[in-house]
Amino acid sequence: LKSEYEAALDMLRRCKSHIENKEKGEEALAVRCRCGLASLLSGRVPSGIDESPANVTLFDITSHFARLPSSSACSDWHSSLTEVWSWLECKYSEWSDVESRCD
């Protein structure tokens, strides 16, 4: 279970870095748009990222882990993951608000 949490946390941290640093590259551009971030937050692989079975599983379990109630057995892993997940959710909300004001 620890390796899955670590893979999920690593992926979320990469996505956060892509957004904060306005990085280029296939994965970065896929998550730096509202629809890509919406896909990530719903557990789907964003368009532009390889939909290999490993990526499909990673994005799915990341969404699942982020929605689990915290348990004492893995609270450090879970709190780290949910912290980054919450940041991404806030960023998505900000982008949605800006987009709705532009319509």
Side-chain angles (χ1 to χ4, degrees), residues 23-40:
E23 296 170 358
K24 306 279 189 242
E26 193 172 329
E27 182 182 80
L29 295 175
V31 298
R32 285 184 48 212
C33 63
R34 193 179 66 79
C35 62
L37 195 50
S39 291
L40 181 151

Side-chain angles (χ1 to χ4, degrees), residues 47-58:
S47 180
I49 296 177
D50 179 38
E51 290 191 44
S52 67
N55 277 346
V56 169
T57 300
L58 176 61

